[in-house]
Amino acid sequence: MIILEEDRTIILHTPKCAGKVLREAFFDIASKHPFWNWNYLRSTGEWTDRAHMPLSVMRQTPEWENIRTYTLIAVVREPGTRFASSLSEHMRQHRKKDAMAVLKELDETRICHDPRYIHFIPQNRFTHIGNKRYADFIVRMENLPDDLRAVGTLCQFSRKFFDAVDQIALAPQKQEEDQDPKVSKKISDILTRFYLRDYALFGYDRTALSDQTPLGFDGLLTDPLCRQEWRGYRAMEPAYERFTRNIEQDFLLRQMMAENKALKAERDKAA
C-alpha cells in the first residue's frame, strides 16, 4: 500500500493493478511502512503477503483502527486482462512452464489464503469485506491518472499528490497471444467461477465469460455505490481543469445549482 500522510490517504495495493507504477510515481511523498514481505498472522492462523493484504486480513492487524482514519483508494482492472497478467507473473515467479497445469491448481482456498497465489485473489477483497464497502474511492487502472485527479479534486489533496499523478505512465497493453483453445476455455470457466463478482461490482464487460453465468447475478452481492462511481468520474474533469487554474469554487456544486435554477425556471414557466 502507499501511505500519503499529508493527505491522510492510503492507496491500497491490489495485485496486478499498477502497483509498481504507483510506487514509482509516489515514491518521494509516500511514507515508509511495515507492510512488506510475508508474515504469520496469529489471529487467522495463516501466512500473509503483507504487500498485498486484502481488507479482511488487514482488519485482523493492530494497524487497522489507524488505517480506518485514512481515505482509502482501491485500484481495479478489467478482470480478464488482470488474470492474464496474474498467470504470467505466477509462472515467472515460480518458474512454471505449463499454463494448463497452473490453471488446474486454482481453487477458492489457494487464491484467497495461499500467498503464493496472491496475484489471483479477486479484486473485491481489496474494496469490500463481505457486502460492506470500505474503499472510499475505487479507480480503474484503465483511466488511472484521470480517476486519481478526480479523487484528488474532490478531496482537495495537496499539490504534491497531483504532481505525483502526473508521473504515472502506464505501459501499453500487450497484444493477446494465440492460445490453445483448451486453455482459453479453461480461463473463461475460471473467470466465471472466481471473478463474476468483480465484473458485476466494477462494471466491466462480461463477454469473456463462459455461458455458465448464473441468471440474475447482477442483483447478487453487488454494491449500488459502484454503479454510480463509473458514471461519475468523467464529470469531474472540468473540475480538475479549474483546480489547476487555482479556481476554488467546486464544479459539481455549481453544476447542481445551475440544474436547480433551470428546473425552477421551467416550473415557473409552466405555472
Coordinates of all heavy atoms in Angstrom, one line a residue, residues 22-87:
L22 N 2.5 2.9 -9.5 CA 2.1 3.8 -8.4 C 3.2 4.0 -7.4 O 3.4 5.2 -6.9 CB 0.8 3.3 -7.7 CG -0.5 3.3 -8.5 CD1 -1.5 2.5 -7.9 CD2 -0.9 4.8 -8.6
R23 N 3.9 3.0 -7.0 CA 5.0 3.1 -6.1 C 6.1 4.1 -6.6 O 6.6 4.9 -5.9 CB 5.7 1.8 -5.8 CG 4.9 0.9 -4.9 CD 5.7 -0.2 -4.3 NE 6.4 -1.0 -5.3 CZ 5.9 -2.0 -5.9 NH1 4.7 -2.4 -5.6 NH2 6.7 -2.7 -6.8
E24 N 6.4 3.9 -7.9 CA 7.4 4.8 -8.5 C 6.9 6.3 -8.6 O 7.7 7.2 -8.3 CB 7.7 4.3 -9.9 CG 8.5 3.0 -9.9 CD 8.7 2.4 -11.3 OE1 8.1 3.0 -12.3 OE2 9.5 1.5 -11.5
A25 N 5.6 6.5 -8.9 CA 5.1 7.8 -9.0 C 5.1 8.5 -7.7 O 5.3 9.7 -7.6 CB 3.7 7.8 -9.7
F26 N 4.7 7.8 -6.6 CA 4.5 8.4 -5.3 C 5.7 8.2 -4.4 O 5.6 8.5 -3.2 CB 3.3 7.8 -4.6 CG 2.0 8.3 -5.2 CD1 1.3 7.6 -6.2 CD2 1.4 9.5 -4.8 CE1 0.1 8.1 -6.8 CE2 0.2 10.0 -5.3 CZ -0.4 9.3 -6.3
F27 N 6.8 7.7 -4.9 CA 8.0 7.4 -4.1 C 8.4 8.5 -3.2 O 8.7 8.3 -2.0 CB 9.1 6.9 -5.0 CG 10.3 6.5 -4.2 CD1 10.4 5.2 -3.6 CD2 11.4 7.3 -4.1 CE1 11.5 4.8 -2.9 CE2 12.5 7.0 -3.4 CZ 12.6 5.7 -2.8
D28 N 8.5 9.7 -3.7 CA 9.1 10.8 -3.0 C 8.2 11.3 -1.9 O 8.7 12.0 -0.9 CB 9.4 12.0 -3.9 CG 10.5 11.7 -4.9 OD1 11.4 10.8 -4.5 OD2 10.6 12.3 -6.0
I29 N 6.9 11.0 -1.9 CA 6.0 11.6 -0.9 C 5.3 10.5 -0.1 O 4.6 10.8 0.9 CB 4.9 12.5 -1.5 CG1 4.0 11.7 -2.5 CG2 5.5 13.7 -2.2 CD1 2.8 12.5 -3.0
A30 N 5.6 9.2 -0.4 CA 4.9 8.1 0.4 C 5.7 7.9 1.6 O 7.0 8.0 1.7 CB 4.9 6.9 -0.5
S31 N 5.0 7.5 2.7 CA 5.7 7.2 4.0 C 6.2 5.8 4.0 O 5.6 4.9 3.3 CB 4.7 7.4 5.1 OG 4.2 8.7 5.1
K32 N 7.2 5.6 4.8 CA 7.7 4.2 5.0 C 6.7 3.5 5.9 O 6.2 4.0 6.8 CB 9.1 4.2 5.6 CG 10.1 4.9 4.7 CD 10.4 4.1 3.4 CE 11.5 4.8 2.6 NZ 11.1 6.0 1.9
H33 N 6.5 2.2 5.6 CA 5.6 1.4 6.5 C 6.0 -0.1 6.5 O 6.9 -0.5 5.7 CB 4.2 1.5 5.9 CG 4.0 1.0 4.5 ND1 4.0 -0.3 4.2 CD2 3.9 1.7 3.3 CE1 3.9 -0.4 2.9 NE2 3.8 0.7 2.3
P34 N 5.5 -0.8 7.5 CA 6.0 -2.2 7.6 C 5.3 -3.2 6.7 O 5.5 -4.4 6.8 CB 5.6 -2.5 9.1 CG 4.4 -1.7 9.3 CD 4.6 -0.4 8.5
F35 N 4.4 -2.8 5.8 CA 3.6 -3.7 5.0 C 4.4 -4.2 3.8 O 4.3 -3.7 2.7 CB 2.3 -3.1 4.6 CG 1.4 -2.8 5.7 CD1 1.3 -1.5 6.3 CD2 0.6 -3.8 6.2 CE1 0.5 -1.3 7.3 CE2 -0.2 -3.6 7.3 CZ -0.3 -2.3 7.9
W36 N 5.3 -5.2 4.1 CA 6.1 -5.8 3.1 C 6.5 -7.2 3.5 O 6.5 -7.5 4.7 CB 7.3 -5.0 2.8 CG 7.9 -5.2 1.5 CD1 9.1 -5.8 1.1 CD2 7.4 -4.7 0.2 NE1 9.3 -5.8 -0.2 CE2 8.3 -5.1 -0.8 CE3 6.3 -4.0 -0.2 CZ2 8.0 -4.9 -2.2 CZ3 6.0 -3.7 -1.5 CH2 6.9 -4.1 -2.5
N37 N 6.8 -8.1 2.6 CA 7.2 -9.5 2.9 C 6.1 -10.3 3.5 O 5.0 -9.8 3.7 CB 8.5 -9.5 3.8 CG 9.7 -8.8 3.1 OD1 9.9 -9.0 2.0 ND2 10.5 -8.1 3.9
W38 N 6.4 -11.5 3.7 CA 5.4 -12.4 4.3 C 5.4 -12.3 5.8 O 6.4 -12.0 6.4 CB 5.7 -13.9 3.9 CG 5.4 -14.2 2.5 CD1 5.2 -13.3 1.5 CD2 5.2 -15.5 1.9 NE1 4.9 -14.0 0.3 CE2 4.9 -15.3 0.6 CE3 5.3 -16.8 2.4 CZ2 4.7 -16.4 -0.3 CZ3 5.1 -17.9 1.6 CH2 4.8 -17.7 0.2
N39 N 4.2 -12.6 6.4 CA 4.1 -12.6 7.9 C 3.1 -13.6 8.3 O 2.1 -13.8 7.7 CB 3.7 -11.1 8.3 CG 3.6 -11.0 9.8 OD1 4.6 -11.2 10.5 ND2 2.4 -10.7 10.3
Y40 N 3.4 -14.2 9.5 CA 2.4 -15.2 10.0 C 1.4 -14.4 10.9 O 1.8 -13.7 11.8 CB 3.1 -16.3 10.8 CG 2.1 -17.3 11.3 CD1 1.6 -18.3 10.5 CD2 1.7 -17.3 12.7 CE1 0.7 -19.2 10.9 CE2 0.8 -18.3 13.1 CZ 0.3 -19.2 12.3 OH -0.5 -20.2 12.7
L41 N 0.1 -14.5 10.6 CA -0.9 -13.8 11.3 C -1.6 -14.7 12.3 O -2.3 -15.6 11.9 CB -1.9 -13.2 10.3 CG -2.8 -12.1 10.9 CD1 -2.1 -10.9 11.4 CD2 -3.8 -11.6 9.8
R42 N -1.3 -14.5 13.6 CA -1.9 -15.5 14.5 C -3.4 -15.5 14.6 O -4.0 -16.5 14.9 CB -1.3 -15.2 15.9 CG 0.2 -15.4 16.1 CD 0.7 -15.2 17.5 NE 2.1 -15.5 17.6 CZ 2.6 -16.7 17.8 NH1 1.8 -17.8 17.9 NH2 3.9 -16.9 17.9
S43 N -4.0 -14.3 14.4 CA -5.4 -14.2 14.5 C -6.2 -15.0 13.5 O -7.3 -15.4 13.7 CB -5.9 -12.7 14.4 OG -5.4 -12.2 13.2
T44 N -5.5 -15.3 12.3 CA -6.2 -16.1 11.3 C -5.5 -17.4 11.1 O -6.0 -18.3 10.4 CB -6.2 -15.3 9.9 OG1 -4.9 -15.1 9.5 CG2 -7.0 -14.0 10.1
G45 N -4.3 -17.6 11.7 CA -3.6 -18.8 11.6 C -3.0 -19.1 10.2 O -3.0 -20.3 9.8
E46 N -2.6 -18.1 9.5 CA -2.1 -18.3 8.1 C -1.0 -17.3 7.8 O -0.9 -16.2 8.4 CB -3.3 -18.1 7.1 CG -3.9 -16.7 7.1 CD -5.2 -16.7 6.2 OE1 -5.2 -17.3 5.2 OE2 -6.1 -15.9 6.6
W47 N -0.2 -17.7 6.8 CA 0.8 -16.8 6.3 C 0.1 -15.8 5.3 O -0.8 -16.1 4.6 CB 1.9 -17.5 5.5 CG 2.8 -18.3 6.5 CD1 2.7 -19.6 6.9 CD2 3.9 -17.7 7.1 NE1 3.7 -19.9 7.7 CE2 4.5 -18.7 7.9 CE3 4.6 -16.5 7.1 CZ2 5.6 -18.6 8.7 CZ3 5.7 -16.3 7.9 CH2 6.2 -17.3 8.6
T48 N 0.6 -14.5 5.4 CA 0.0 -13.5 4.6 C 1.1 -12.7 3.8 O 2.3 -12.6 4.3 CB -0.8 -12.4 5.4 OG1 0.1 -11.8 6.3 CG2 -1.9 -13.1 6.1
D49 N 0.8 -12.3 2.6 CA 1.7 -11.4 1.9 C 1.4 -10.0 2.2 O 0.4 -9.4 1.8 CB 1.6 -11.7 0.4 CG 2.5 -10.8 -0.5 OD1 3.2 -9.9 0.1 OD2 2.5 -11.1 -1.7
R50 N 2.2 -9.3 3.1 CA 1.8 -8.0 3.6 C 1.9 -6.9 2.5 O 1.3 -5.9 2.7 CB 2.8 -7.6 4.7 CG 2.5 -8.4 6.0 CD 3.5 -8.1 7.1 NE 3.4 -6.8 7.6 CZ 2.6 -6.3 8.5 NH1 1.7 -7.1 9.0 NH2 2.6 -5.1 8.9
A51 N 2.5 -7.2 1.4 CA 2.4 -6.3 0.3 C 1.1 -6.3 -0.4 O 0.7 -5.3 -1.1 CB 3.5 -6.6 -0.7
H52 N 0.3 -7.4 -0.3 CA -1.0 -7.5 -0.9 C -2.0 -8.0 0.1 O -2.4 -9.1 0.0 CB -0.9 -8.5 -2.1 CG 0.2 -8.2 -3.1 ND1 1.4 -8.8 -3.1 CD2 0.2 -7.4 -4.2 CE1 2.2 -8.4 -4.1 NE2 1.5 -7.5 -4.8
M53 N -2.4 -7.1 1.0 CA -3.2 -7.6 2.1 C -4.7 -7.2 1.8 O -5.0 -6.1 1.7 CB -2.8 -7.0 3.4 CG -1.5 -7.5 3.9 SD -1.1 -6.8 5.6 CE -2.4 -7.7 6.6
P54 N -5.6 -8.2 1.6 CA -7.0 -7.9 1.4 C -7.5 -7.3 2.7 O -7.0 -7.5 3.8 CB -7.6 -9.3 1.1 CG -6.6 -10.3 1.6 CD -5.3 -9.7 1.5
L55 N -8.6 -6.6 2.6 CA -9.1 -5.9 3.7 C -9.5 -6.8 4.9 O -9.4 -6.5 6.1 CB -10.3 -5.0 3.3 CG -10.0 -3.9 2.3 CD1 -11.3 -3.2 2.0 CD2 -9.0 -2.9 2.9
S56 N -10.1 -8.0 4.6 CA -10.5 -8.9 5.6 C -9.3 -9.4 6.5 O -9.5 -9.6 7.7 CB -11.2 -10.1 5.0 OG -10.3 -10.8 4.1
V57 N -8.1 -9.4 5.9 CA -6.9 -9.8 6.6 C -6.4 -8.6 7.3 O -6.0 -8.6 8.5 CB -5.9 -10.4 5.7 CG1 -4.5 -10.6 6.4 CG2 -6.4 -11.7 5.0
M58 N -6.4 -7.4 6.6 CA -5.8 -6.2 7.2 C -6.6 -5.9 8.5 O -6.0 -5.3 9.5 CB -5.9 -5.1 6.2 CG -5.1 -3.9 6.5 SD -5.2 -2.6 5.3 CE -4.6 -3.4 3.9
R59 N -7.9 -6.2 8.5 CA -8.7 -5.9 9.7 C -8.2 -6.6 10.9 O -8.6 -6.2 12.1 CB -10.2 -6.2 9.4 CG -11.1 -5.8 10.5 CD -12.6 -5.9 10.1 NE -13.0 -7.3 9.8 CZ -14.2 -7.6 9.5 NH1 -15.2 -6.7 9.5 NH2 -14.5 -8.9 9.2
Q60 N -7.5 -7.7 10.7 CA -7.0 -8.5 11.9 C -5.7 -8.0 12.4 O -5.2 -8.5 13.4 CB -6.8 -10.0 11.4 CG -8.0 -10.6 10.7 CD -9.2 -10.7 11.6 OE1 -9.1 -10.9 12.8 NE2 -10.4 -10.5 11.0
T61 N -5.1 -6.9 11.8 CA -3.8 -6.4 12.2 C -4.0 -5.3 13.2 O -5.1 -4.6 13.3 CB -3.0 -5.9 11.0 OG1 -3.7 -4.7 10.5 CG2 -2.9 -7.0 10.0
P62 N -3.0 -5.0 14.1 CA -3.1 -3.9 15.0 C -3.2 -2.5 14.4 O -3.7 -1.6 15.0 CB -1.8 -4.0 15.8 CG -1.3 -5.4 15.6 CD -1.8 -5.8 14.2
E63 N -2.8 -2.4 13.1 CA -2.8 -1.1 12.4 C -4.2 -0.8 11.9 O -4.4 0.4 11.4 CB -1.8 -1.2 11.2 CG -0.4 -1.3 11.6 CD 0.0 -2.8 11.7 OE1 -0.9 -3.7 11.5 OE2 1.2 -3.1 11.9
W64 N -5.2 -1.7 11.9 CA -6.5 -1.5 11.3 C -7.2 -0.2 11.7 O -7.7 0.6 10.9 CB -7.3 -2.7 11.4 CG -8.7 -2.5 10.9 CD1 -9.9 -2.5 11.6 CD2 -9.1 -2.4 9.5 NE1 -11.0 -2.3 10.7 CE2 -10.5 -2.3 9.4 CE3 -8.4 -2.5 8.3 CZ2 -11.2 -2.2 8.2 CZ3 -9.1 -2.3 7.1 CH2 -10.5 -2.2 7.1
E65 N -7.3 0.0 13.0 CA -8.0 1.1 13.6 C -7.4 2.4 13.1 O -8.1 3.4 12.8 CB -8.0 1.1 15.1 CG -8.9 0.0 15.7 CD -10.3 0.0 15.2 OE1 -10.9 1.2 15.1 OE2 -10.9 -1.0 14.9
N66 N -6.1 2.5 12.9 CA -5.5 3.7 12.4 C -5.7 3.8 10.9 O -6.0 4.9 10.4 CB -4.0 3.7 12.7 CG -3.3 5.0 12.3 OD1 -3.8 6.1 12.6 ND2 -2.2 4.9 11.6
I67 N -5.7 2.7 10.2 CA -5.9 2.7 8.8 C -7.3 3.3 8.4 O -7.5 4.0 7.5 CB -5.7 1.3 8.2 CG1 -4.2 0.9 8.2 CG2 -6.3 1.2 6.8 CD1 -4.0 -0.5 7.8
R68 N -8.3 2.9 9.3 CA -9.7 3.3 9.0 C -9.8 4.9 9.1 O -10.9 5.4 8.7 CB -10.6 2.6 10.0 CG -10.8 1.2 9.7 CD -11.5 0.9 8.4 NE -12.9 1.3 8.5 CZ -13.5 2.1 7.7 NH1 -12.9 2.6 6.7 NH2 -14.8 2.4 7.8
T69 N -8.9 5.6 9.7 CA -9.0 7.0 9.8 C -8.5 7.7 8.5 O -8.6 8.9 8.4 CB -8.1 7.5 11.0 OG1 -6.7 7.3 10.7 CG2 -8.6 6.8 12.3
Y70 N -7.9 6.9 7.6 CA -7.4 7.5 6.3 C -8.5 7.4 5.2 O -9.4 6.5 5.3 CB -6.2 6.7 5.8 CG -4.9 7.0 6.6 CD1 -4.8 6.6 7.9 CD2 -3.9 7.7 6.1 CE1 -3.6 6.9 8.7 CE2 -2.7 8.0 6.8 CZ -2.6 7.5 8.1 OH -1.4 7.8 8.8
T71 N -8.4 8.2 4.2 CA -9.1 7.9 3.0 C -8.5 6.8 2.2 O -7.3 6.8 1.9 CB -9.1 9.2 2.1 OG1 -9.7 10.3 2.8 CG2 -9.8 9.0 0.8
L72 N -9.3 5.8 1.9 CA -8.8 4.6 1.2 C -9.2 4.6 -0.3 O -10.4 4.8 -0.6 CB -9.4 3.3 1.8 CG -9.1 3.1 3.3 CD1 -9.7 1.8 3.8 CD2 -7.6 3.1 3.6
I73 N -8.2 4.4 -1.1 CA -8.4 4.4 -2.6 C -8.0 3.0 -3.0 O -6.9 2.5 -2.7 CB -7.5 5.4 -3.3 CG1 -7.9 6.8 -2.8 CG2 -7.7 5.3 -4.8 CD1 -7.0 7.9 -3.4
A74 N -8.8 2.3 -3.8 CA -8.5 1.0 -4.3 C -8.5 1.1 -5.8 O -9.3 1.8 -6.4 CB -9.5 -0.1 -3.9
V75 N -7.6 0.4 -6.5 CA -7.4 0.3 -7.9 C -7.9 -1.0 -8.4 O -7.6 -2.1 -7.9 CB -6.0 0.6 -8.4 CG1 -5.9 0.6 -9.9 CG2 -5.4 1.8 -7.7
V76 N -8.8 -1.0 -9.5 CA -9.2 -2.2 -10.1 C -8.9 -2.2 -11.6 O -8.5 -1.2 -12.1 CB -10.8 -2.4 -9.9 CG1 -11.1 -2.5 -8.4 CG2 -11.6 -1.3 -10.5
R77 N -9.1 -3.4 -12.2 CA -8.7 -3.6 -13.6 C -9.6 -4.6 -14.2 O -10.2 -5.4 -13.5 CB -7.2 -4.1 -13.6 CG -6.6 -4.4 -14.9 CD -5.2 -4.9 -14.7 NE -4.5 -5.2 -16.0 CZ -3.3 -5.7 -16.1 NH1 -2.7 -6.0 -15.0 NH2 -2.7 -5.9 -17.3
E78 N -9.8 -4.5 -15.5 CA -10.6 -5.5 -16.2 C -10.1 -6.9 -15.8 O -9.0 -7.2 -16.0 CB -10.5 -5.3 -17.7 CG -11.6 -5.9 -18.5 CD -11.4 -7.4 -18.7 OE1 -10.2 -7.8 -19.0 OE2 -12.3 -8.2 -18.6
P79 N -11.0 -7.7 -15.3 CA -10.6 -9.0 -14.7 C -9.9 -9.9 -15.7 O -9.0 -10.7 -15.3 CB -11.9 -9.6 -14.2 CG -12.8 -8.4 -13.9 CD -12.5 -7.4 -15.0
G80 N -10.3 -9.9 -17.0 CA -9.7 -10.8 -17.9 C -8.2 -10.5 -18.2 O -7.4 -11.4 -18.1
T81 N -7.9 -9.2 -18.4 CA -6.5 -8.8 -18.7 C -5.7 -9.0 -17.4 O -4.5 -9.3 -17.4 CB -6.5 -7.4 -19.2 OG1 -7.1 -6.5 -18.3 CG2 -7.1 -7.3 -20.6
R82 N -6.4 -8.7 -16.3 CA -5.7 -8.9 -15.0 C -5.3 -10.3 -14.8 O -4.2 -10.6 -14.3 CB -6.5 -8.3 -13.8 CG -5.9 -8.6 -12.4 CD -6.8 -8.1 -11.3 NE -6.2 -8.4 -10.0 CZ -6.5 -9.4 -9.2 NH1 -7.5 -10.2 -9.6 NH2 -5.9 -9.6 -8.1
F83 N -6.2 -11.2 -15.1 CA -6.0 -12.6 -14.9 C -4.8 -13.1 -15.7 O -3.9 -13.8 -15.3 CB -7.2 -13.5 -15.2 CG -7.0 -14.9 -14.9 CD1 -7.1 -15.5 -13.7 CD2 -6.6 -15.8 -16.0 CE1 -6.9 -16.8 -13.4 CE2 -6.4 -17.1 -15.7 CZ -6.5 -17.7 -14.5
A84 N -4.8 -12.6 -17.0 CA -3.7 -13.0 -17.9 C -2.3 -12.5 -17.3 O -1.3 -13.2 -17.3 CB -3.9 -12.4 -19.3
S85 N -2.3 -11.3 -16.7 CA -1.1 -10.8 -16.1 C -0.7 -11.6 -14.9 O 0.4 -11.8 -14.6 CB -1.3 -9.3 -15.8 OG -0.2 -8.8 -15.2
S86 N -1.8 -12.0 -14.1 CA -1.5 -12.7 -12.9 C -0.9 -14.1 -13.2 O 0.0 -14.6 -12.6 CB -2.8 -12.9 -12.1 OG -3.4 -11.7 -11.7
L87 N -1.5 -14.7 -14.3 CA -0.9 -16.0 -14.7 C 0.5 -15.9 -15.1 O 1.3 -16.8 -14.7 CB -1.8 -16.6 -15.8 CG -1.4 -17.9 -16.4 CD1 -1.5 -19.0 -15.3 CD2 -2.4 -18.3 -17.6

